[in-house]
Amino acid sequence: MANIILTRIDNRLVHGQVATQWCGSIGANLILVANDDVAGNKMRQGLMDMAAPGYAAMRYWTLEKTISTIHKAADRQLIFIVCETPQDVLTLVEGGVPIKKVNIGNMHMSEGKRQVAGSVAVDDADVAAFAKLRELGVELEIRRVPSEPAENIEKLFS
């Protein structure tokens, strides 16, 4: 089975905070960006490669490739999956990707969203995706950086 250490939702995907603080604290040696747009966008990949720590390999896969390929991962690969939205994570879980825990990091405020935590804004579709993930037994946490305590996950549903 794929050795997925953590899955993070961050609408910025891989940036300094993800690369240095999260990757190091969880001991990942592979960062997998599961995102249909980025999988085909070399410029965005190049920007994320610059932020990535030297000890971690980078992969940029579509959601479908992640679903079809993740089970071939070697045990030595300590995988940190980064997704843009809760809907993307739900697609992966429903597709059979063995995600046990999701860190909700950055979901920026935009039209139709409401702020529920310092760096997390959601709309009804986000809440529905989180509810379904929870029903499927996925542990959810709101935490911007590893050194901060997790926030109450019920904020998402109120």
Side-chain angles (χ1 to χ4, degrees):
M1 181 186 306
N3 198 353
I4 300 168
I5 298 173
L6 184 66
T7 300
R8 178 175 169 91
I9 297 170
D10 192 319
N11 59 352
R12 296 180 295 169
L13 297 170
V14 177
H15 50 89
Q17 188 179 82
V18 167
T20 58
Q21 294 183 42
W22 280 105
C23 200
S25 75
I26 63 174
N29 60 17
L30 173 65
I31 301 173
L32 169 56
V33 176
N35 182 277
D36 291 343
D37 176 58
V38 171
N41 187 325
K42 295 293 184 200
M43 188 174 99
R44 285 187 74 190
Q45 290 177 23
L47 292 171
M48 287 185 236
D49 285 345
M50 286 190 280
Y55 57 83
M58 296 291 295
R59 300 286 183 275
Y60 302 97
W61 291 353
T62 63
L63 297 177
E64 189 50 50
K65 182 172 182 176
T66 303
I67 290 166
S68 65
T69 308
I70 196 78
H71 300 288
K72 298 174 186 172
D75 289 343
R76 71 180 181 281
Q77 292 176 307
L78 307 174
I79 305 168
F80 179 24
I81 297 177
V82 183
C83 292
E84 191 170 24
T85 69
Q87 293 83 354
D88 287 352
V89 175
L90 181 58
T91 297
L92 295 178
V93 171
E94 290 179 335
V97 177
I99 292 171
K100 303 285 183 246
K101 182 175 183 176
V102 174
N103 163 260
I104 304 157
N106 291 305
M107 293 178 62
H108 291 140
M109 189 65 161
S110 62
E111 187 71 34
K113 294 196 179 231
R114 61 193 176 278
Q115 200 82 30
V116 294
S119 61
V120 178
V122 297
D123 60 20
D124 291 343
D126 297 330
V127 173
F130 285 130
K132 182 69 173 168
L133 285 165
R134 193 159 65 169
E135 280 174 32
L136 293 170
V138 176
E139 179 187 345
L140 304 173
E141 75 165 10
I142 299 171
R143 189 159 34 145
R144 199 174 53 83
V145 293
S147 58
E148 294 178 355
E151 296 186 47
N152 184 346
I153 199 68
E154 293 308 317
K155 292 178 178 185
L156 291 172
F157 306 102
S158 56

